[in-house]
């Protein structure tokens, strides 16, 4: 079984790269240190709910999509 962070880390990187943004740019928009964004993308930690909501707003997605967007792409 994959770790809980696996789908989110892949989704974060996919969204960021698709938007043509760097980790530092995303971190600034969400209000975290660039290292924190890097930890999220590497699966070392997960964003707290308030930051997850900001990520969703930034990429215009629902919270459920942040976690389950890979399911949509593989169906």
């Amino acid at each position: 079984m994959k770790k809980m962070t696996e789908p989110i880390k892949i989704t974060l990187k996919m969204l960021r790269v698709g938007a043509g943004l760097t980790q530092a740019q995303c971190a600034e928009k969400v209000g975290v240190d660039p290292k924190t964004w890097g930890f999220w993308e590497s699966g070392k930690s997960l964003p707290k709910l308030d930051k997850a909501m900001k990520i969703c707003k930034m990429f215009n997605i629902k919270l459920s999509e942040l976690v389950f967007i890979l399911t949509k792409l593989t169906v």
Side-chain angles (χ1 to χ4, degrees):
M1 187 168 146
K2 292 184 179 182
K3 291 176 24 179
M4 179 67 170
T5 58
E6 195 70 19
I8 294 174
K9 78 177 196 177
I10 295 168
T11 301
L12 285 175
K13 185 168 185 177
M14 183 189 67
L15 290 168
R16 177 182 62 77
V17 171
L21 298 169
T22 65
Q23 287 184 350
Q25 289 169 321
C26 287
E28 183 179 340
K29 290 177 183 279
V30 175
V32 297
D33 188 272
K35 286 182 183 179
T36 300
W37 188 277
F39 287 157
W40 296 341
E41 273 194 27
S42 68
K44 292 180 181 176
S45 65
L46 290 168
K48 292 184 180 180
L49 183 58
D50 63 323
K51 300 304 181 189
M53 296 303 292
K54 288 183 178 185
I55 292 167
C56 292
K57 186 174 180 180
M58 178 172 61
F59 292 114
N60 195 29
I61 62 170
K62 295 177 184 174
L63 186 59
S64 60
E65 292 174 309
L66 180 60
V67 178
F68 300 110
I69 201 165
L70 291 177
T71 305
K72 288 183 171 183
L73 296 175
T74 57
V75 172

